């Protein structure tokens, strides 16, 4: 029996958010005006580095996992259906934009305070009018930017929005020919990457998103989904283990794709098995992921400003206790954000739109 909701896939979002949070913890130790330091060069400063170094060094790979999960979920919800464009866009706007707008304004308000206190912005530069406009229109990842700015993690959502539009165009016929439809789009995106056309991030997102669609097709439509998903996820996991041995000098970044397939495919396998139903109790983890992702940077800037004004030495952020407090605050903020702001804002926008469409016309003939 196919599940109505893939709870383990949702929980995987939360694990990906954990990887991002650990990767971003480096920000707490950046000197003012410094916007990037390789995690390996901070080994002696980052808490629990010996245990968490894969996340400190490669936690940004979780973005690709997010993209693949999105493709899986979108294929489940929209593939094969004739969804009006206005409805599709409004649903995405209602889910994503309110929190983005609020966190953008908060970061925009905090950075002038940081400049006044430290003489330089914190965590991300390029906080000028041009980049504010790009962020305002969710275009900060389209290749028009000069670097990271404001609440920079939104760049991955910015890229994904373009892929949403592509998906809507092909959603109804996407899976009619089985897995061939997603594979054709994946191949086309790969060709565009090789040709160097446009922003590479966009084509990478297309690939991961439609691989997620293909994985959903296997989980949702194959006659033997457990067997087939196990073969796919197992092959991807084996590639992660074997490729570094078979290809000397292989860059670990080349393992992101098989790792993401193994993780998303493995999570879907759990949902298809007997463990899928009990995991529904953990659905709150997936629900709070977007809030966790977007509140991360505003909370970091606020914490750095508060510590500075209280005279607390920057070395405090090297303590494991502060690291765990950071994780707790970020995940707690993500859940509260979903319950108290994101979900109510989403519902209010959708209700407003529904009422607007059903209201009788007041125009006279």
């Amino acid at each position: 029996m196919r599940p109505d909701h893939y709870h383990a896939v949702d929980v995987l979002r939360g694990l990906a958010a954990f990887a991002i949070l650990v990767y971003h913890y480096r920000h707490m130790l950046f000197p003012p005006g410094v916007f990037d330091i390789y995690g390996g060069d901070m080994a002696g400063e980052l808490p629990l580095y010996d245990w968490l170094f894969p996340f400190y060094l490669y936690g940004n790979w979780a973005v690709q996992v997010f993209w693949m999960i999105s493709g899986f979920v979108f294929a489940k919800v929209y593939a094969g259906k004739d969804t009006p464009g206005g409805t599709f866009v409004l649903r995405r706007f209602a889910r994503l934009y309110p929190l983005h707008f609020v966190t953008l304004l908060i970061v925009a308000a905090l950075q002038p305070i940081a400049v006044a206190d430290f003489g330089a912005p914190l965590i991300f530069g390029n906080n000028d009018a041009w980049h504010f406009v790009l962020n305002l229109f969710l275009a900060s990842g389209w290749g028009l930017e000069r670097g990271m700015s404001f609440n920079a993690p939104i760049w991955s959502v910015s890229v994904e929005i373009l892929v949403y539009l592509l998906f809507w165009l092909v959603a109804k016929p996407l899976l009619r020919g089985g897995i061939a439809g997603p594979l054709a789009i994946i191949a086309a995106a790969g060709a565009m990457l090789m040709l160097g056309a446009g922003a590479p991030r966009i084509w990478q997102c297309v690939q991961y998103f439609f691989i997620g669609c293909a994985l959903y097709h296997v989980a949702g439509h194959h006659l033997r989904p457990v067997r087939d998903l196990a073969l796919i996820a197992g092959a991807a996991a084996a590639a992660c283990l074997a490729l570094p041995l078979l290809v000397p000098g292989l860059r670990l970044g080349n393992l992101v794709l098989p790792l993401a397939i193994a993780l998303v495919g493995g999570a879907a396998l759990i949902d298809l098995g007997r463990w899928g139903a009990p995991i529904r109790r953990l659905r709150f983890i997936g629900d709070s992921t977007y809030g966790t992702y977007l509140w991360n940077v505003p909370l970091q800037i606020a914490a750095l400003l508060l510590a500075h004004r209280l005279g607390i030495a920057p070395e405090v952020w090297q303590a494991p206790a502060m690291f765990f407090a950071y994780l707790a605050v970020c995940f707690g903020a993500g859940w509260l954000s979903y319950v108290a702001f994101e979900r109510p804002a989403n519902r209010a926008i959708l209700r407003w739109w529904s009422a607007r469409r059903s209201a009788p016309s007041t125009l006279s003939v």
Side-chain angles (χ1 to χ4, degrees):
M1 184 176 177
R2 319 282 175 163
D4 292 330
H5 190 94
Y6 287 79
H7 296 285
V9 174
D10 242 4
V11 170
L12 181 59
R13 287 187 204 266
L15 299 178
F18 170 81
I20 291 288
L21 290 183
V22 177
Y23 181 75
H24 282 175
Y25 192 77
R26 300 172 305 134
H27 299 161
M28 305 304 292
L29 298 168
F30 286 1
V34 175
F35 307 124
D36 192 26
I37 303 175
Y38 175 59
D41 295 333
M42 304 176 72
E45 302 173 62
L46 293 168
L48 305 175
Y49 182 85
D50 290 342
W51 293 90
L52 297 173
F53 73 90
F55 299 104
Y56 282 128
L57 299 182
Y58 310 115
N60 57 320
W61 291 0
V63 167
Q64 283 86 341
V65 178
F66 281 138
W67 287 341
M68 196 173 290
I69 292 172
S70 291
F72 188 100
V73 173
F74 271 59
K76 168 75 170 65
V77 175
Y78 293 107
K81 299 175 183 176
D82 189 10
T83 306
T87 299
F88 182 82
V89 170
L90 184 76
R91 286 177 181 173
R92 292 296 84 212
F93 176 87
R95 178 66 186 97
L96 299 173
Y97 198 79
L99 182 60
H100 161 61
F101 183 67
V102 168
T103 54
L104 171 62
L105 293 183
I106 290 173
V107 173
L110 290 175
Q111 287 292 16
I113 301 174
V115 172
D117 283 10
F118 294 101
L122 295 175
I123 303 177
F124 298 113
N126 300 303
N127 302 310
D128 53 27
W130 170 247
H131 286 87
F132 183 82
V133 171
L134 290 180
N135 278 272
L136 190 64
F137 288 96
L138 276 171
S140 58
W142 295 1
L144 304 172
E145 68 283 356
R146 293 189 293 273
M148 294 292 189
S149 62
F150 292 98
N151 194 10
I154 198 67
W155 77 264
S156 65
V157 179
S158 169
V159 170
E160 201 169 346
I161 282 173
L162 297 177
V163 183
Y164 291 162
L165 297 177
L166 172 61
F167 172 81
W168 175 77
L169 290 172
V170 302
K172 189 173 182 181
L174 180 64
L175 300 180
R176 283 180 185 168
I179 206 169
L183 289 181
I185 297 174
I186 294 163
M192 298 302 284
L193 273 173
M194 292 179 64
L195 292 171
R201 287 174 173 177
I202 295 172
W203 300 119
Q204 289 170 1
C205 184
V206 171
Q207 286 189 311
Y208 281 89
F209 188 95
F210 282 93
I211 289 172
C213 294
L215 288 173
Y216 169 71
H217 174 74
V218 175
H221 296 287
H222 276 207
L223 292 176
R224 294 186 173 181
V226 172
R227 180 201 65 183
D228 295 347
L229 268 181
L231 288 173
I232 293 169
C240 290
L241 296 174
L243 284 174
L245 301 175
L246 298 174
V247 184
L250 179 75
R251 293 178 58 194
L252 289 179
N254 293 324
L255 300 179
V256 181
L257 181 58
L259 177 61
I261 293 173
L263 290 173
V264 178
L269 266 177
I270 293 173
D271 282 311
L272 291 171
R274 59 191 179 94
W275 290 105
I279 289 178
R280 70 164 52 95
R281 300 189 185 96
L282 301 176
R283 182 171 178 174
F284 70 92
I285 295 175
D287 289 338
S288 61
T289 299
Y290 184 56
T292 301
Y293 187 63
L294 284 197
W295 280 112
N296 170 218
V297 168
L299 288 171
Q300 286 185 327
I301 297 173
L304 290 169
L305 287 171
L306 180 62
H308 175 73
R309 295 200 167 195
L310 293 176
I312 299 173
E315 289 74 20
V316 70
W317 306 113
Q318 298 179 23
M322 294 305 295
F323 170 77
F324 287 119
Y326 156 81
L327 291 179
V329 168
C330 287
F331 278 114
W335 173 241
L336 287 173
S337 175
Y338 177 73
V339 172
F341 178 70
E342 296 168 55
R343 186 169 58 184
N346 185 12
R347 290 174 175 173
I349 292 171
L350 295 179
R351 281 198 302 268
W352 170 82
W353 180 253
S354 178
R356 184 175 180 274
R357 293 185 66 185
S358 60
S361 174
T362 59
L363 294 176
S364 58
V365 178

